[in-house]
Amino acid sequence: MHSYIQLLTTPTADTAGTALILDVGLKRYMFGNIHEGLQRVCIQRSSRLAKTSEVFISGKTEWKNLGGLFGVILSIADATASAVQSATENTRAKNKAEESPNQSNAKSAKQAKQAAERARIFLEAGVDPEKMIQKAGKDNDPQSLRPTLTIHGGPNLTHTIATGRRFIFRKGMSVEVNELAETDEHASIDPRRDPDWKDDCIQVWKLPIEPSFETDTGTKSPESSRKRSFEEFAGVDASLPGNTEASTSHPVTDNAPSMTDDELRRSVVSAMFGSNWRLDALFETPLKEVKLPAQLWTKNPETKKLERYRIPNDAPKPDINVLVRKPWPGALVDELPPAKPSRIAMSYIVRHYPQRGKFLPAKAQALKVHPIIFSALQNGTTVKSQNGTTVTPEMVMEPSRTGGGFAVVDLPSVEYLHSLLRRPEWQDSNIMDGLQAMVWNLGHGVSRDPALHAFIQQHNTLKHIVAAPDVSPNYISLDSSASLIIRLNQVDSQRYPIPIHSNVSPLLPPSRKSSEEQSAGYIVAVRDYHLQLEAKLEEREAAMKEPFLDTRRVLELASKEVLELAQDVKSKIASADAADESTNRSFPGHDAEIICLGTGSSAPSKYRNVSATLLRVPGCGSYLFDCGEGTLGQLRRLYTPAELEKVLRDLKMIWISHMHADHHLGTTSVIKAWYEVNFGPAERSRYTDGGDSEEDLMKILQHEKRLFVFAGHQMIHWLEEYSFVEDFGYSKLIAVETIPRKVLPNADFSCMQWKNVALGCDSSDRPMQATGLANIVTCYVDHCRDAQAISVTFPSGFKFSYSGDCRPSGRFVQIGKGSTVLVHEATFDDAMQADADAKKHSTMSEAIGVALAMGAKSLLLTHFSQRYQKIPELATLSRDRVKFIEPRASVNGVGEMDVPDDPEIINHDVRLNSQSIQEEASSPPEVETSDTTTPYVSGALPLPEPGRRQDLKIAIAFDLLRIRVGDIAHLEKFVPVFQRLFEISEQEGKVNAANQPDAVEQSKREGQKQKRKDLRRQNSQTKQPKLDVGTEAAPMEAAGCEGGSPENSAHGLAAKHQGQHEGATKAWSAGEAVTTDRIRSRSPKLDHAEAL
């Protein structure tokens, strides 16, 4: 068996740790840190995840090491589900063909006779034919095709995954968590132990490492051992409609069995994946038993069609039956039990099984073994020859070889080193024999420790590969995005800085084979490093010749025509500035800076990261609007360490618009970076002593710096639940829940709540002063449950409005009236209006219409579908009246909670310590008054006259754009230059592809090699006669196994291009299941620049 390991990432600004893939042909295993940005790197490096069935997370259970896990899970789920569905359909078609009556009776009789003859030969050889049939049947069982992803890691891994239950949802793939319990006594066990985990290909020994000063290991929290009933934990009543799934999986009765907290967490994870929940499943239930809010239907007795049922206003509930949805699994659990941070860091030793020697058919024939029995000998079964002699496998096979292997060692700090060196596994020959390499993932300072160097010298027969922040170069890890930004820099260097990077190791010279490396006994890890494990240890040097992006080459390829166009625009801007400088600098906020950290939608791509926008206002602070995965990495590419420290010290507020994964999964990393900059180790240690118990916000703000997080209830709750796993700074947050309340007919004004205490939104209030803002207003928008837009005003009068994801909203227009700058999503171009309607996004013309209705001075378009690299032609966009869409009204302004991504707004019922809000909440239920297709207050929002529409300045954002508000008009002038840049780049790309025969020939050779490999495998399966077991295996190719190409099937292509198809990528952020029908519904035209 041939296998190899490939390094996907090493520590850089974008990638916080080290991740690698073990490829054994039929399967793939992922080891190391599943950090933020890993999914994007896999897209960049074309690393397929479809065959990945096991993930082993190394290091401590903290966001730095598993911040990319949710994205990786969704990517594997989508790719694997498509491959499995294709395989299942192929199997059904094959079985149907075999059951066809067209088969002749003569042929069937002949096959039966052959099967009987084979069975006789097996019996004579002493081999049970039934066992062979059972083995074949197990291998061919269609049920075995159902994918299961198993995630291994340290304590609190299950809790971490369970916190994502409100925004992560997949069907068709099960997820199992193999978590090390705190009470596992691995340090004192017999070193000659069996593997902790194994399958048909590899064996894994887990090495939990604790800091050497730790003395109270193995303690169990009293809270974690307490048993709770499921109904106490979930806060649900099984008698209520829609809770049938909970009743089925966990019966909620008086005699319901209790669960430990760990069992409850596992049940939550199980419900998040592989669920049979369906959006279109309705259940008949008495209205009085329905838990509101919820969408209700009744069946018309005459037409037999479903009709929406609306509860009568100011009237008791009638005694009738209604149809309601079954709750989706994430809605069943209100709160997870608390966890306790763990200091355990996981490492792993991985070994292949001993490899059987080559089968020698000549020896078997000489011993008179029937050819049909060859397969039994190859499988290790002793048989009898035709003359009655016993023949063992050893008599007809070459000697076995020791299985190769490697170790992944993760040491967060030097305190973990001595605990690792004392592990008994290093002295166990059963584990160490055959070990070929060690991949070291080290924290700061560990690589310099003499004890580590002594260990490496002691085991100098192994290949040691070291990755650490103070050893690994900070190279560009996302080549496509960086190349794009470098080209934009040549056009407009003032606003598109080249990403900060270095291809030189901080400790070693540029050469990978330096004398220092050789003397140290290790090599510095670089991306794409390949190490062949079987059949022999071998570096693949070809993959490492150019591990870094050649930025000079990118600069040399610049078009002279584009540079001349850019220079003309710069000259015009300079002359306009000289003549118009006083006008340009006269309005409030002209010197505020907008930094676009992520301008893509749904899922990360090669060219655009997911949503994040930083606003820096001199004299007030820094403000982050949405914080998708990889936001901190973008900041590190944009600012030097000293500059980034200043940005983090000035950070006053983070706003999260809604709970889609592409808008908030980077929040934890940014908060922790802010926490470490503003609080020293001594102050951070207070967390372990009980945290900050101060409840008086005014006292807190008088004595300490705090970071405000404004978001909906679900986001605040997610941060709180994860804070039990890691001290990332939650104790220093002012996590404010924003609750828009309808006060005026045409506007929503926000109420703010911190720890159930209502906060004022006026500039005279102390909390508002601490943010540096004069006012903050939010409103619900039509996108998903609890989606909100925001408008903030500064003391100078500068007003900034941010849409998040939404359809055009009249309420947003009202709260953003007179905005200095509007940042609005523009997911689709105008040709995809139907997609915008269906997916509840905006087109570019609709975003412009909102800006015009709002009276905004400037508009920055962002959140583009990942299908676009080019920018649209602004002159073709419509600036006519736009139709505004609002979320439907519902009971008390609250939407239902039984669907993962419902079109209607879903909010929770709140209890504020404010009399006016309590009175409003106790008012009679409202009747739904509008439909989502009805424009908001028709005719009340006329757009400006055509002559005034030219006053709106429009700019289009790319990642890492830095632009002052007063310069947005300048950026618009560069649009023709950008368009020409992309036209030339596309032409050059086509020419280069046509003029690279070496690459074409290499591709052909690889294809031919794969075909030969497939043919050899097929021949090995068909060379020996087989028993007719009556069943056929699903084609391995269709299942995505070795030699297969799931991308070449209709479903595989859909999975491969999921970033190109908005339906698939939208499901990534919304947590929806991607169905084959949805993927088949469109085949959008793809261009050369699309990510997947």
Side-chain angles (χ1 to χ4, degrees), residues 987-1053:
Q987 294 168 3
E988 290 176 348
K990 293 178 180 179
V991 172
N992 291 338
N995 294 334
Q996 289 181 351
D998 293 342
V1000 174
E1001 290 300 319
Q1002 176 66 19
S1003 177
K1004 289 182 179 179
R1005 287 194 295 271
E1006 291 293 333
Q1008 293 170 356
K1009 181 179 178 180
Q1010 185 65 48
K1011 289 181 180 179
R1012 289 194 298 270
K1013 190 174 182 180
D1014 294 346
L1015 184 60
R1016 285 196 301 269
R1017 178 167 51 80
Q1018 294 171 4
N1019 290 340
S1020 67
Q1021 295 173 351
T1022 59
K1023 185 179 295 183
Q1024 307 299 338
K1026 295 183 179 180
L1027 278 175
D1028 184 0
V1029 296
T1031 60
E1032 291 289 340
M1036 297 178 71
E1037 293 80 8
C1041 299
E1042 180 185 9
S1045 181
E1047 288 83 354
N1048 292 335
S1049 66
H1051 307 294
L1053 280 172

Side-chain angles (χ1 to χ4, degrees), residues 36 63-64 67 632 665-674 728:
E36 288 185 44
W63 199 257
K64 170 182 172 292
L632 183 60
L665 281 183
T667 311
T668 304
S669 296
V670 172
I671 292 174
K672 188 169 185 179
W674 170 88
F728 66 93

Side-chain angles (χ1 to χ4, degrees), residues 631-882:
T631 297
L632 183 60
Q634 297 284 79
L635 286 169
R636 287 172 173 165
R637 289 296 182 197
L638 196 60
Y639 297 106
T640 65
E643 291 171 337
L644 180 56
E645 180 176 339
K646 185 178 186 306
V647 170
L648 293 173
R649 288 191 183 279
D650 289 342
L651 187 62
K652 298 289 185 65
M653 182 192 85
I654 298 176
W655 159 257
I656 303 299
S657 61
H658 61 289
M659 278 296 284
H660 282 170
D662 60 322
H663 287 256
H664 78 274
L665 281 183
T667 311
T668 304
S669 296
V670 172
I671 292 174
K672 188 169 185 179
W674 170 88
Y675 183 42
E676 292 174 344
V677 163
N678 287 280
F679 297 90
E683 294 173 288
R684 297 200 299 268
S685 66
R686 289 180 58 191
Y687 176 85
T688 58
D689 299 329
D692 193 341
S693 59
E694 180 61 66
E695 296 292 334
D696 189 330
L697 182 58
M698 302 307 165
K699 291 182 179 179
I700 292 174
L701 296 177
Q702 287 175 357
H703 296 93
E704 277 191 335
K705 178 182 290 188
R706 292 302 173 98
L707 176 62
F708 284 79
V709 176
F710 290 90
H713 169 74
Q714 293 185 21
M715 179 65 191
I716 302 300
H717 191 234
W718 177 67
L719 291 173
E720 180 183 11
E721 285 190 335
Y722 181 72
S723 68
F724 288 106
V725 175
E726 174 189 2
D727 176 21
F728 66 93
Y730 182 79
S731 60
K732 301 301 182 183
L733 298 181
I734 304 297
V736 179
E737 184 179 345
T738 58
I739 308 152
R741 290 288 173 176
K742 187 176 294 183
V743 179
L744 300 177
N746 298 336
D748 275 2
F749 285 88
S750 300
C751 295
M752 306 292 175
Q753 148 172 305
W754 176 71
K755 294 186 177 181
N756 296 323
V757 176
L759 302 180
C761 302
D762 189 80
S763 59
S764 61
D765 294 314
R766 175 63 182 168
M768 192 58 60
Q769 293 175 357
T771 65
L773 300 172
N775 190 23
I776 176 172
V777 186
T778 69
C779 70
Y780 286 129
V781 289
D782 189 36
H783 180 63
C784 70
R785 95 170 66 93
D786 212 18
Q788 300 181 41
I790 188 172
S791 184
V792 296
T793 305
F794 292 85
S796 64
F798 170 54
K799 189 171 184 178
F800 179 88
S801 296
Y802 179 82
S803 70
D805 289 4
C806 64
R807 296 288 296 133
S809 170
R811 290 177 179 172
F812 184 40
V813 168
Q814 291 292 334
I815 69 171
K817 275 290 186 182
S819 291
T820 313
V821 178
L822 166 63
V823 176
H824 202 287
E825 72 120 291
T827 308
F828 297 103
D829 61 29
D830 290 1
M832 302 191 71
Q833 182 66 57
D835 294 75
D837 292 335
K839 297 176 175 63
K840 298 190 178 299
H841 285 291
S842 298
T843 66
M844 297 173 191
S845 288
E846 287 175 330
I848 293 173
V850 172
L852 292 170
M854 190 180 284
K857 291 183 173 62
S858 302
L859 169 65
L860 184 62
L861 298 176
T862 185
H863 196 271
F864 300 102
S865 169
Q866 301 289 16
R867 73 185 69 230
Y868 305 123
Q869 182 197 11
K870 299 178 182 179
I871 57 179
E873 179 62 58
L874 293 182
T876 65
L877 299 181
S878 170
R879 301 193 179 199
D880 295 331
R881 179 184 297 273
V882 62

Side-chain angles (χ1 to χ4, degrees), residues 165-166 234 236 243 291 327-334 897-899:
R165 65 193 180 278
R166 299 188 185 277
V236 297
N243 289 343
K291 185 177 181 179
W328 78 290
L332 296 177
V333 179
D334 292 330
M897 292 294 295
D898 63 349
V899 292

Side-chain angles (χ1 to χ4, degrees), residues 347 369 420 498 677 896 1007 1075:
S347 297
V369 177
L420 171 79
I498 293 178
V677 163
E896 63 175 348
T1075 64

